[in-house]
Amino acid sequence: MTLIAALSYGELAGMMPHVGGQYAYLREAYNPFIAFLYGWTLFLVIQTGTIAAVAVAFAKFTGVLLPWFSEQHILLSIGAFHINAAQFLAVASVAFLTYLNMRGLQEGKILQNIFTTAKIAALLGFVLLALFVGRNSSAITANISSFWNAAWTQTVNGKIISINTAFQLDAALCDRCCYGRFAFLCRCME
């Protein structure tokens, strides 16, 4: 579903190469009022909630690596109200990134490039670790030996409810099309 959404946004961007992204797409598809409502909802709820969640996760994981930033380290306590180091780090990181982005387009671009490079390097590192350190020939053989064939299936009222297979997409497609007009394409009918 994520791939379909990404391809849809790619198609929309090709058809409407305007500044504004989703705002521009909604404005053209529906009307300016819907786009206006989306813009304010994004600003007040959607994007701010995402930023807050990422900041809290960043602070919690930083607290695991650097114990001073843990939730147990209370910085300020007024009655029942406590501010711990993790909360302070989350708020400070949002404030710092907001400040850097407010300085201008060039600084925001540099910051975005740094974070994107770090994410890609981390993903490549995990892939290389999996290929070279976590390589297990018996597991690879077991997974590939039943790549297309289901080891067992369970049906209820003529509908497949579970398939034990290494290739779950085949199972999902069979569940969707084996009883429709594309049944001749499915391996589960064999």
Side-chain angles (χ1 to χ4, degrees), residues 159 170-182 186:
K159 192 162 188 188
D170 185 39
L173 290 174
C174 285
D175 186 39
R176 263 334 232 164
C177 69
C178 280
Y179 303 101
R181 60 184 169 170
F182 301 110
C186 290

Side-chain angles (χ1 to χ4, degrees), residues 6-187:
L7 291 173
S8 298
Y9 275 113
E11 197 67 30
L12 284 169
M15 291 179 357
M16 293 180 269
H18 308 293
V19 173
Q22 285 180 304
Y23 174 84
Y25 308 150
L26 289 171
R27 185 185 64 223
E28 296 297 322
Y30 300 107
N31 60 46
F33 181 67
I34 297 295
F36 172 80
L37 288 178
Y38 170 76
W40 276 103
T41 305
L42 181 75
F43 177 70
L44 294 174
V45 179
I46 300 168
Q47 198 66 28
T48 53
T50 304
I51 290 169
V54 170
V56 167
F58 169 71
K60 283 187 179 230
F61 287 115
T62 302
V64 171
L65 294 174
L66 303 170
W68 191 88
F69 288 109
S70 71
E71 294 176 335
Q72 285 74 34
H73 187 210
I74 305 295
L75 299 177
L76 178 67
S77 183
I78 301 172
F81 181 73
H82 305 290
I83 295 177
N84 60 42
Q87 292 170 332
F88 176 76
L89 180 62
V91 171
S93 65
V94 170
F96 178 69
L97 292 174
T98 301
Y99 167 74
L100 285 179
N101 279 302
M102 286 175 39
R103 291 199 54 198
L105 192 60
Q106 188 66 27
E107 286 82 0
K109 181 183 89 166
I110 291 169
L111 183 68
Q112 199 71 11
N113 287 340
I114 290 170
F115 285 156
T116 301
T117 303
K119 285 187 254 184
I120 291 172
L123 284 172
L124 288 175
F126 283 131
V127 168
L128 292 175
L129 277 172
L131 288 175
F132 295 113
V133 176
R135 188 176 182 93
N136 183 342
S137 60
S138 62
I140 292 170
T141 304
N143 283 332
I144 293 178
S145 67
S146 64
F147 194 68
W148 290 104
N149 300 325
W152 56 266
T153 60
Q154 185 178 2
T155 59
V156 173
N157 297 331
K159 192 162 188 188
I160 298 171
I161 60 168
S162 65
I163 296 179
N164 182 13
T165 181
F167 193 64
Q168 296 294 332
L169 183 58
D170 185 39
L173 290 174
C174 285
D175 186 39
R176 263 334 232 164
C177 69
C178 280
Y179 303 101
R181 60 184 169 170
F182 301 110
F184 65 93
L185 295 174
C186 290
R187 297 177 58 85

